[in-house]
């Protein structure tokens, strides 16, 4: 089960808002070179192009399915298939922008200083990462993974705490950055549908777990997860479901 652009973008508006909030905090007038690291299907990359139309923009991702869709939508942007963990820019750039991608990578103590070093002087590293791993949306997946015959295959894939505490990112970046801004926001999404939180995570959190299972196990695991999620996020009297989602933002100036 590879990354599915349509499934991921089924909540495109809700997923886009944090990227717009992050972009609003990037105080660059005319950056010459921009990299969107973990660009996915390119929705945010196209917004970067709209804001800075004169910049040379590169979208980097490791999903061929996502990049194929991105290239159809915006052929003028350079799209690069690369492992994000080992990415190096061939030349320094003015903006490294990453929305909802770096939490999939390990070793942030190495990664974040490395990304800051990819910038020209006066450049900006702008990052947004989900930080909802203690919420039922995620703990239900951890519990379902640990409670079935798939346990031995899924437990190693779980990412229970992939994002550091905000103070840890301050300690990593403050000695290297001229200015540093770190904050968290909890969004309250109002969703519709029979089990919308389960539908939301199917396009992100669940992808590597479902990919590790055969068809029969995938059906059983997802049924277990969806029942847990429905109990954790029941619909309100008006039929809508409230989904609180915390995200961490970092803007570092080189």
């Amino acid at each position: 089960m590879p990354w599915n652009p349509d499934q991921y973008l089924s909540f495109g508006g809700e997923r886009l808002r944090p990227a717009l909030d992050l972009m609003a905090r990037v105080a660059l007038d005319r950056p010459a070179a921009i990299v969107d690291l973990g660009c996915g299907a390119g929705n945010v990359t196209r917004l970067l192009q709209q804001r800075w139309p004169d910049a040379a923009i590169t979208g980097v991702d490791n999903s061929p399915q996502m990049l194929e869709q991105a290239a159809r939508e915006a052929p003028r942007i350079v799209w690069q298939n690369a492992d994000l963990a080992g990415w190096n820019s061939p030349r320094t750039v003015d903006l490294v922008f990453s929305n909802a991608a770096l939490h999939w990578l390990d070793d942030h103590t190495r990664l974040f200083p490395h990304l800051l070093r990819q910038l020209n002087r006066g450049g900006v590293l702008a990052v947004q990462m989900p930080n909802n791993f203690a919420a039922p949306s995620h703990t239900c997946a951890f519990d379902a993974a640990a409670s079935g015959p798939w346990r031995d295959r899924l437990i190693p894939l779980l990412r229970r705490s992939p994002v550091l505490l905000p103070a840890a990112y301050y300690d990593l970046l403050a000695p290297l950055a001229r200015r540093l801004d770190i904050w968290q926001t909890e969004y309250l999404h109002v969703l519709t549908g029979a089990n919308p939180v389960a539908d939301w995570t199917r396009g992100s959190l669940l992808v590597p777990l479902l990919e590790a299972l055969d068809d029969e196990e995938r059906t059983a695991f997802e049924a277990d997860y969806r029942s847990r999620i429905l109990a954790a996020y029941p619909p309100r009297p008006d039929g809508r479901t409230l989904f609180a989602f915390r995200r961490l933002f970092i803007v570092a100036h080189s």
Side-chain angles (χ1 to χ4, degrees), residues 122-192:
V124 173
L125 170 65
V127 174
Q128 182 273 123
M129 294 179 290
N131 199 13
N132 218 44
F133 303 97
S137 56
H138 290 61
T139 60
C140 286
F142 305 154
D143 293 343
S147 64
W150 42 71
R151 173 187 173 91
D152 290 343
R153 274 167 292 158
L154 296 190
I155 289 294
L157 300 177
L158 300 180
R159 301 182 63 78
R160 295 181 183 272
S161 302
V163 174
L164 306 178
L165 294 173
Y169 292 103
Y170 177 86
D171 291 339
L172 284 172
L173 297 174
L176 306 173
R178 289 190 303 112
R179 191 163 80 250
L180 182 59
D181 193 10
I182 301 174
W183 73 98
Q184 293 192 97
T185 298
E186 185 168 283
Y187 297 85
L188 187 63
H189 300 299
V190 181
L191 307 180
T192 60

Side-chain angles (χ1 to χ4, degrees), residues 1 15 25 27 39 47 57-58 67 76 81 85 87 107 130 147 154 156 185-187 192 197 199 206 208 213 247-248:
M1 181 182 169
R15 293 189 192 278
R25 302 290 283 269
C39 63
L47 292 174
I57 300 181
T58 301
L67 290 171
R76 289 181 52 241
N81 189 343
W87 175 80
D107 197 9
S147 64
L154 296 190
T185 298
E186 185 168 283
Y187 297 85
T192 60
V197 177
D199 294 336
L206 293 191
L213 303 175
R247 296 178 181 271
L248 176 66

Side-chain angles (χ1 to χ4, degrees), residues 39-252:
C39 63
N43 287 36
V44 174
T45 325
R46 295 194 299 274
L47 292 174
L48 293 169
Q49 184 182 53
Q50 290 174 23
R51 178 170 174 185
W52 293 290
D54 297 328
I57 300 181
T58 301
V60 182
D61 205 273
N62 64 351
S63 167
Q65 295 83 7
M66 291 287 196
L67 290 171
E68 181 181 351
Q69 178 160 327
R72 286 198 302 267
E73 297 289 338
R76 289 181 52 241
I77 294 173
V78 175
W79 303 103
Q80 180 184 0
N81 189 343
D83 176 13
L84 303 186
W87 175 80
N88 285 281
S89 179
R91 60 191 64 84
T92 53
V93 300
D94 300 305
L95 172 60
V96 173
F97 193 95
S98 184
N99 180 65
L102 299 186
H103 62 294
W104 290 108
L105 304 182
D106 296 322
D107 197 9
H108 284 195
T109 57
R110 179 204 64 84
L111 176 65
F112 275 73
H114 169 74
L115 294 178
L116 199 62
R117 288 192 290 268
Q118 307 304 302
L119 298 173
N120 294 317
R121 180 167 176 79
V124 173
L125 170 65
V127 174
Q128 182 273 123
M129 294 179 290
N131 199 13
N132 218 44
F133 303 97
S137 56
H138 290 61
T139 60
C140 286
F142 305 154
D143 293 343
S147 64
W150 42 71
R151 173 187 173 91
D152 290 343
R153 274 167 292 158
L154 296 190
I155 289 294
L157 300 177
L158 300 180
R159 301 182 63 78
R160 295 181 183 272
S161 302
V163 174
L164 306 178
L165 294 173
Y169 292 103
Y170 177 86
D171 291 339
L172 284 172
L173 297 174
L176 306 173
R178 289 190 303 112
R179 191 163 80 250
L180 182 59
D181 193 10
I182 301 174
W183 73 98
Q184 293 192 97
T185 298
E186 185 168 283
Y187 297 85
L188 187 63
H189 300 299
V190 181
L191 307 180
T192 60
N195 198 345
V197 177
D199 294 336
W200 176 297
T201 57
R202 197 177 198 277
S204 52
L205 169 70
L206 293 191
V207 171
L209 304 181
L210 296 176
E211 190 177 28
L213 303 175
D214 61 34
D215 289 344
E216 183 176 349
E217 291 174 323
R218 187 179 301 148
T219 299
F221 169 79
E222 192 168 13
D224 183 8
Y225 173 74
R226 292 181 72 89
S227 68
R228 294 172 187 264
I229 284 292
L230 191 58
Y233 297 96
R236 314 300 291 183
D238 64 1
R240 298 176 180 177
T241 299
L242 301 182
F243 181 27
F245 202 113
R246 179 176 296 181
R247 296 178 181 271
L248 176 66
F249 296 79
I250 301 169
V251 176

